[in-house]
Amino acid sequence: VAREISDEYTRARALSRLADKLTVELLPEALNVARNISNEYDRARALSRLADKLTVELLPEALNIAREISDEDTRARALSSLADKLTVELLPEALNVAREISDEFARAIALSSLADRQPELLPEALNIAREISNEYRRANALSSLADKLTVELLPEALNIARKISDEDPRASALSSLVDRQPELLPEALNVARKIFDESARASVLFRLADRQPELLPEALNVAREIFYEDYRASALSRFADKLTVELLPEALNVAREISDEDARAIALSGLAKPLTETLRLIARTLSLKIQDPYHRAEALGGFLEVDNSLWQDLEKQSQNLLRLLTPKERKHFVGNIPKLYPYLQRLGGQPAVEATLQAMRDACQQWT
């Protein structure tokens, strides 16, 4: 079905969603579908999703697909997705692909991903990171290297971090080094509190709270103040598992206060697992009150792993979701079909899945 979709964005998205369900026999065909996606970002995303499933025989072809990507950021990320799967024989070729990248940030990211297999690359990657002119990208490159650096390289990394003038990326870079150098925590915290953007400040504070848990209330309060509701919801969802039991009621209130249903669904879904049983019932009720069927199903989906009684509700929600998607554009319909996979398995097992796939094939034949 994915192969037959003419719209490349939709084909790439469908292939990505189906990647972990493909059998070994289907992998060569799936890799060929990925190679033929002309949009490089979508091609790299499809390749990344297939990477964990690829057999040794398919790795040379996957590496060639990554090499052929002209956009250097995208090529670096494609290479990074393959780095820990490559055989020893392919590592020299992968290193050549990385060194051919002219953009410093992209080259540093590629070398960092290969350094897990070849630690001798770390000084080279750190020197490249130092030369990145954009401070946000320099901080990101430094963060990607932080947990791999040898003791001998840590002083140089700290020097690079301290020379970043903007508080946001400097705090991010320093916080990435705190696990290796705990004595940096007061310095990183001081810089973090000066970050103007609430979303960035909350992100750094939550990271620092791994070392200093008493920062969690402050981080949650900053998250509450994030102006854009989708960013606020994303912060709640990303850092929900860091919250203590005492902070969960407040986190749920932050989610409840979000007016946009899409953002509220993301926040509630992200909070589902860490919530206590009592709070989970409240969150479930809030999810069921979401008016839009798609967002309601999205919110309830987060509770699946912890609340088996939800399946009855989700049967209704999946039916509503199908009705909702039917009149929409093809890319919306196909992109969301994989979300129904667990529902179909629960409702009718593999026969239900196969029947749905056949129905999709029939539908594809009608699309022009």
Side-chain angles (χ1 to χ4, degrees):
V1 174
R3 183 183 60 244
E4 297 168 358
I5 299 170
S6 59
D7 179 78
E8 287 197 333
Y9 170 80
T10 308
R11 191 191 320 153
R13 191 174 179 186
L15 185 61
S16 297
R17 294 287 182 85
L18 293 169
D20 61 350
K21 301 172 181 66
L22 294 172
T23 62
V24 173
E25 293 76 18
L26 289 173
L27 288 174
E29 183 179 357
L31 193 58
N32 188 52
V33 172
R35 180 194 285 277
N36 290 324
I37 296 172
S38 60
N39 181 281
E40 292 188 332
Y41 176 82
D42 292 334
R43 191 191 318 156
R45 182 173 63 170
L47 182 64
S48 298
R49 291 300 302 270
L50 289 170
D52 286 335
K53 299 278 290 186
L54 294 177
T55 60
V56 172
E57 294 76 16
L58 292 173
L59 288 173
E61 182 180 354
L63 184 56
N64 282 333
I65 294 173
R67 184 198 289 273
E68 292 166 0
I69 295 173
S70 59
D71 179 77
E72 293 190 326
D73 275 4
T74 308
R75 191 191 319 158
R77 298 196 182 282
L79 183 61
S80 297
S81 71
L82 296 171
D84 62 347
K85 326 290 188 313
L86 297 174
T87 61
V88 174
E89 294 76 15
L90 287 173
L91 285 176
E93 182 180 351
L95 180 56
N96 285 335
V97 174
R99 285 176 171 159
E100 288 168 358
I101 298 172
S102 59
D103 179 81
E104 289 89 353
F105 173 75
R107 188 160 80 253
I109 292 297
L111 288 171
S112 174
S113 69
L114 292 171
D116 287 332
R117 307 285 300 280
Q118 298 176 288
E120 63 273 16
L121 295 176
L122 286 170
E124 179 181 354
L126 190 58
N127 283 332
I128 293 169
R130 182 196 295 275
E131 300 305 316
I132 298 172
S133 58
N134 182 289
E135 292 191 327
Y136 283 88
R137 288 166 72 87
R138 193 188 317 158
N140 286 339
L142 194 59
S143 296
S144 74
L145 289 166
D147 62 347
K148 304 173 185 179
L149 295 174
T150 61
V151 173
E152 294 77 14
L153 290 173
L154 285 173
E156 183 179 352
L158 178 58
N159 184 49
I160 295 171
R162 283 175 170 160
K163 288 183 176 179
I164 296 174
S165 59
D166 188 289
E167 286 89 357
D168 183 353
R170 184 160 88 251
S172 178
L174 287 170
S175 66
S176 71
L177 294 169
V178 164
D179 284 341
R180 304 293 306 281
Q181 297 177 284
E183 66 275 12
L184 290 177
L185 197 150
E187 179 181 352
L189 180 58
N190 182 54
V191 177
R193 285 173 170 158
K194 296 177 182 178
I195 298 173
F196 177 78
D197 180 77
E198 292 89 353
S199 181
R201 193 187 333 147
S203 180
V204 175
L205 287 172
F206 273 118
R207 287 171 62 183
L208 293 175
D210 289 338
R211 279 283 177 178
Q212 193 169 323
E214 56 267 31
L215 291 174
L216 284 171
E218 179 181 353
L220 183 58
N221 282 334
V222 174
R224 183 195 290 271
E225 299 304 316
I226 296 173
F227 180 78
Y228 294 105
E229 292 191 325
D230 53 344
Y231 288 8
R232 195 186 318 158
S234 176
L236 280 177
S237 180
R238 284 168 53 207
F239 301 111
D241 59 347
K242 297 179 182 288
L243 297 173
T244 61
V245 173
E246 294 77 16
L247 289 173
L248 289 173
E250 183 179 352
L252 184 56
N253 282 333
V254 175
R256 188 203 306 264
E257 293 166 358
I258 295 174
S259 59
D260 179 77
E261 288 195 334
D262 185 9
R264 195 186 327 142
I266 292 171
L268 290 170
S269 179
L271 286 169
K273 195 169 184 179
L275 290 177
T276 62
E277 185 175 351
T278 300
L279 292 175
R280 197 175 296 130
L281 288 173
I282 297 172
R284 176 180 168 181
T285 301
L286 292 173
S287 298
L288 288 168
K289 289 181 179 179
I290 293 175
Q291 297 299 309
D292 185 276
Y294 174 77
H295 299 320
R296 186 163 64 244
E298 184 178 22
L300 289 170
F303 295 83
L304 285 175
E305 294 183 13
V306 290
D307 190 350
N308 289 329
S309 65
L310 268 177
W311 282 107
Q312 185 175 359
D313 287 322
L314 283 171
E315 289 178 28
K316 299 176 182 177
Q317 300 309 323
S318 61
Q319 292 169 4
N320 289 337
L321 180 57
L322 278 173
R323 283 195 292 271
L324 178 71
L325 290 173
T326 299
K328 288 194 175 237
E329 293 182 8
R330 185 189 319 168
K331 66 180 181 181
H332 294 128
F333 180 77
V334 176
N336 284 292
I337 280 293
K339 293 182 179 180
L340 295 175
Y341 182 83
Y343 310 155
L344 296 170
Q345 279 283 6
R346 181 66 178 245
L347 294 173
Q350 194 59 28
V353 175
E354 293 174 358
T356 302
L357 288 175
Q358 184 57 52
M360 289 173 64
R361 291 188 186 97
D362 294 342
C364 283
Q365 292 175 1
Q366 305 302 317
W367 288 342
T368 57

